Structures are given as C-alpha cells and as structure tokens.
Amino acid sequence: MTLFCLQVVIKFYVFFFVKYDTRKKQLDKSYGNKLSATKKTDYALLAICAILVTLLFFSENLEYLSFITGLYVGATLIQIYFHQYSNQLPLPDDKAPTEPLSPIKLISYSIQAFPKRPWKELLFLTLLFLWGLYMLLSKGFGLF
C-alpha cells in the first residue's frame, strides 16, 4: 500500500511539474496505433485490487463503514475527475491523438494536455494519499 500511495503522489507531481511535451511523447509512444495503451495493465491492476480486497476481508482489520466510505469517496472522486473534461473536446490539432481513436484515447490525451482541469480532485486525492502514506510509515512501519 505504501507503493500505491507513493504512485499517487508522484502522479500529482508529474501532472503539474513535468512539461507537456515530455508527457505527450510518452503518451504517443504508449498508444502508437492502438485504441488502448493499458489493456494488459488494466487486467493486472484489477487482479491486484481483487487480491487486496480479499486479503482485507480475511484480515481482522476490516471496518465495514470505513471500507464502504472509502469505496464511495474514491469512486466519486474519479467520476468527478473525468467530468472535468466534458467540455474539453475537440482537442486542438497539436494536442489531439492520431487515428485510430477511442474514447479512452481521447480522454488520455485531454488529461495530458490539460492536467490542471481537475486540480481540486487531484489535490484531494493527493492529500488523502499523503495522509495514508504518513499513517503507513508511522503506525504500519513505526518510523515516526
């Protein structure tokens, strides 16, 4: 979980401090001539989520109200995050993806072109994960 928290914090940094040209080059490389750049990764992440939830259910630390609240807040934040891009299309030619196009490819390019649109949601998520990272390091690993 510590690595997942770090990933979210790093993503916040990348969106706000890594230049657009660098991010777009990586996006172009990832997509190439495909409709999706993350199909295999998505399956792996879904499996990891299933494993983590299974382990949580078998542990004695599952607090159902906290779990349901976290699930609802996380899903809602992601939904609101994507809604911030509802009026961003069509993208300018210099920011648009090449064919073939898919909805996820369009939104991926929109996110890279305008990562600050959902700044409130990103900030909220980052603060939650920073707190989570602090808790993992202090209570989980006893470092503080």
Side-chain angles (χ1 to χ4, degrees):
M1 295 311 302
T2 304
L3 294 175
F4 289 129
C5 288
L6 280 172
Q7 177 195 17
V8 172
V9 173
I10 290 168
K11 186 176 276 193
F12 181 83
Y13 171 80
V14 168
F15 275 164
F16 286 93
F17 299 106
V18 174
K19 291 182 181 180
Y20 170 71
D21 292 339
T22 303
R23 289 183 285 119
K24 184 162 186 307
K25 283 179 189 173
Q26 184 59 43
L27 194 61
D28 291 340
K29 181 180 174 187
S30 297
Y31 271 98
N33 287 330
K34 301 177 290 188
L35 293 173
S36 174
T38 60
K39 195 168 281 210
K40 291 177 186 173
T41 306
D42 290 347
Y43 287 125
L45 289 172
L46 184 59
I48 290 169
C49 287
I51 290 167
L52 290 173
V53 169
T54 301
L55 291 171
L56 185 60
F57 276 117
F58 284 113
S59 79
E60 295 180 10
N61 296 320
L62 177 64
E63 175 57 44
Y64 76 92
L65 193 55
S66 294
F67 179 80
I68 293 167
T69 301
L71 184 64
Y72 176 78
V73 168
T76 302
L77 281 171
I78 295 304
Q79 178 182 358
I80 296 168
Y81 174 92
F82 281 111
H83 287 174
Q84 299 305 314
Y85 292 96
S86 62
N87 64 351
Q88 200 58 55
L89 296 175
L91 288 170
D93 289 339
D94 63 325
K95 296 184 184 329
T98 58
E99 297 280 342
L101 298 178
S102 67
I104 193 65
K105 191 172 182 180
L106 286 170
I107 197 72
S108 294
Y109 276 76
S110 290
I111 289 168
Q112 292 304 319
F114 305 101
K116 295 175 182 152
R117 287 193 69 72
W119 69 269
K120 299 176 294 301
E121 295 80 5
L122 283 172
L123 181 61
F124 192 25
L125 281 168
T126 301
L127 291 173
L128 290 174
F129 278 99
L130 280 171
W131 173 81
L133 186 59
Y134 170 77
M135 295 303 288
L136 285 165
L137 295 175
S138 63
K139 292 194 182 229
F141 294 108
L143 297 177
F144 303 121

